[in-house]
Amino acid sequence: CFIIHKRKRIIKLKLQNVELLLKESNNISETTIIQNKEIISKLESQINSIHRENESLIEELESQKKLLELKNEQALLIKSQNECAMSTFKNDSFVKEIKNRLQNYPINSNIITESELILLTEKISDLFPTFITKLNNLPFNLSLNEFRVSLLLKTNFSPREISRLTNHSESSVSITRIRLYKKLTGNNGRTTDWDNFISNIQPLTR
């Protein structure tokens, strides 16, 4: 934008100088006058062209700005929805009870019954219905355990907590996450690769 304005200013100065020469020089030949008029015409065309280019550039920048503003609005809406959903989830009395058990129950004790685990996953599914849809639309079917691991990861349960909630070892939970990433991409990866994939899925609420 600065370059366009600079070019425009230079051309205007050139145009003013040529017009001044035409007025002040009575001894300029007719041929020179014609040539100068042609130069003026070209300079005027350049000015008009730059003006149009500048308008076009402004329109393009305005369009990009509006698009970015729209994307920001959408991102803020998604963030707000997700934060609201996570707040609802964390403040749920049943979820608080599960968190309390994870913190206070001995390592080898049972944290949750099968019926309670079903209830926990249902609560997550109700909060993040489109996230569930996206999981179900993956190019492969998830086993019940893979599905539960993914849901619990999405709600910020740690792998250690997930192992206790699903009654699997931590190494088993790690293998599950690596296997899921392999299914998704065909490439070997780390446990955190699947975690990042799950984290980046936007779980819009209803």
Side-chain angles (χ1 to χ4, degrees):
C1 189
F2 172 79
I3 294 175
I4 290 175
H5 285 306
K6 185 176 180 180
R7 285 175 56 198
K8 187 175 180 180
R9 185 169 63 254
I10 291 172
I11 291 174
K12 278 188 174 181
L13 288 173
K14 289 182 178 179
L15 179 59
Q16 291 170 358
N17 289 337
V18 172
E19 289 174 334
L20 183 61
L21 286 174
L22 284 173
K23 289 178 182 179
E24 293 180 350
S25 302
N26 295 323
N27 297 324
I28 296 179
S29 67
E30 185 67 19
T31 300
T32 303
I33 292 174
I34 293 173
Q35 289 175 345
N36 286 338
K37 285 184 177 181
E38 288 176 351
I39 294 173
I40 291 173
S41 177
K42 289 180 180 179
L43 288 171
E44 287 175 338
S45 296
Q46 285 181 286
I47 291 172
N48 291 331
S49 175
I50 288 177
H51 180 65
R52 288 193 299 270
E53 288 174 3
N54 197 27
E55 286 183 345
S56 176
L57 178 60
I58 291 173
E59 289 177 2
E60 182 181 349
L61 292 174
E62 286 291 340
S63 177
Q64 291 177 0
K65 177 186 173 185
K66 289 178 181 178
L67 180 60
L68 288 173
E69 288 175 342
L70 178 60
K71 287 183 177 180
N72 278 346
E73 288 176 7
Q74 291 173 334
L76 288 172
L77 176 60
I78 291 171
K79 181 180 179 182
S80 177
Q81 288 177 321
N82 292 341
E83 287 177 349
C84 182
M86 282 302 302
S87 177
T88 300
F89 180 75
K90 289 179 179 179
N91 289 319
D92 182 271
S93 58
F94 174 67
V95 175
K96 284 184 175 180
E97 169 59 23
I98 297 303
K99 285 286 188 178
N100 180 62
R101 293 181 197 175
L102 285 167
Q103 291 177 0
N104 298 306
Y105 278 29
I107 294 297
N108 294 325
S109 62
N110 290 328
I111 296 295
I112 192 169
T113 65
E114 178 63 21
S115 60
E116 287 177 327
L117 184 55
I118 291 172
L119 176 60
L120 181 62
T121 55
E122 285 177 349
K123 285 181 177 291
I124 299 172
S125 299
D126 288 340
L127 279 175
F128 300 129
T130 59
F131 175 67
I132 306 304
T133 300
K134 290 175 181 178
L135 282 184
N136 290 331
N137 287 335
L138 290 174
F140 56 88
N141 295 323
L142 279 74
S143 69
L144 178 59
N145 184 59
E146 290 172 340
F147 181 74
R148 286 175 173 175
V149 167
S150 298
L151 283 185
L152 294 170
L153 282 171
K154 191 62 181 178
T155 45
N156 297 327
F157 283 98
S158 70
R160 176 173 293 183
E161 291 174 332
I162 293 171
S163 72
R164 299 186 71 190
L165 290 172
T166 59
N167 198 28
H168 287 76
S169 66
E170 282 190 60
S171 61
S172 175
V173 172
S174 295
I175 291 171
T176 296
R177 291 145 67 207
I178 292 172
R179 182 174 64 247
L180 284 169
Y181 185 77
K182 175 77 171 181
K183 285 183 180 181
L184 180 69
T185 65
N187 299 320
N188 294 321
R190 300 166 298 178
T191 55
T192 53
D193 291 328
W194 179 253
D195 300 353
N196 291 334
F197 170 73
I198 290 297
S199 177
N200 290 332
I201 296 178
Q202 296 298 338
L204 285 172
T205 56
R206 285 191 181 93

